[in-house]
């Protein structure tokens, strides 16, 4: 671990490149640390690896076609939901979307997404 010379706090070596100073929390005017260190450090607790949830489907497969069609349907439905004049109209539009989404093969997309996610998490040793 490395410590900031002006503010004694330790950081994992993976966060501090060799030969450079660690991020500093005590002052934006610190000359011992990089000028953007405090801004960079602020992101540490909020940055997470999420690639295990990225799904890729073959466009020419049933699942790929269903995914494309569902996304297109959602892009057409969303403006209606946002501009719905009443809660009843919103509910009607949403129920219609959910029914059409099921017809387009949402169950297939979810099944394949779950399979891909589990496979990726296993490869990455993520629970």
């Amino acid at each position: 671990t490395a410590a900031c010379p002006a503010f004694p706090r330790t950081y994992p070596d993976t966060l501090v490149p060799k030969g450079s100073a660690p991020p500093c929390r005590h002052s934006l005017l610190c000359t011992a640390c990089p000028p953007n260190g405090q801004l960079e450090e602020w992101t540490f607790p909020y940055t997470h690896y999420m690639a295990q949830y990225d799904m890729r489907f073959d466009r020419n497969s049933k699942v790929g076609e269903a995914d494309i069609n569902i996304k297109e349907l959602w892009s057409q439905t969303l403006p209606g939901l946002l501009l719905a004049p009443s809660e009843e109209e919103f509910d009607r539009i949403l129920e219609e979307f959910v029914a059409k989404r099921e017809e387009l093969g949402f169950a297939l997309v979810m099944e394949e997404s779950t399979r891909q996610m589990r496979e990726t998490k296993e490869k990455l040793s993520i629970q």
Side-chain angles (χ1 to χ4, degrees):
T1 60
C4 172
F7 189 86
R9 179 174 166 188
T10 57
Y11 300 90
D13 291 329
T14 56
L15 299 177
V16 182
K18 287 191 183 255
S20 69
C24 176
R25 294 184 60 214
H26 80 282
S27 171
L28 287 173
L29 303 174
C30 179
T31 57
C33 297
N36 63 347
Q38 188 179 34
L39 296 172
E40 182 181 347
E41 181 187 348
W42 179 85
T43 67
F44 293 165
Y46 308 105
T47 306
H48 303 282
Y49 180 80
M50 302 295 284
Q52 69 269 23
Y53 301 112
D54 291 343
M55 300 301 131
R56 290 171 179 76
F57 306 111
D58 179 9
R59 294 178 144 250
N60 299 321
S61 69
K62 270 185 145 178
V63 176
E65 287 179 22
D67 184 55
I68 290 168
N69 292 334
I70 291 168
K71 286 178 180 175
E72 185 177 323
L73 176 63
W74 178 245
S75 72
Q76 295 167 359
T77 304
L78 184 58
L81 290 171
L82 295 174
L83 300 172
S86 66
E87 286 188 39
E88 293 78 21
E89 181 67 12
F90 180 94
D91 291 341
R92 186 193 63 74
I93 294 170
L94 185 59
E95 288 174 14
E96 191 177 291
F97 166 75
V98 170
K100 287 181 184 176
R101 180 181 72 175
E102 291 300 324
E103 291 172 17
L104 291 172
F106 183 67
L108 286 172
V109 173
M110 290 308 298
E111 185 179 311
E112 178 62 18
S113 295
T114 303
R115 187 195 65 75
Q116 285 185 23
M117 180 193 62
R118 286 186 179 147
E119 185 178 291
T120 303
K121 287 174 87 172
E122 186 178 313
K123 287 179 185 177
L124 296 171
S125 299
I126 298 173
Q127 291 184 358

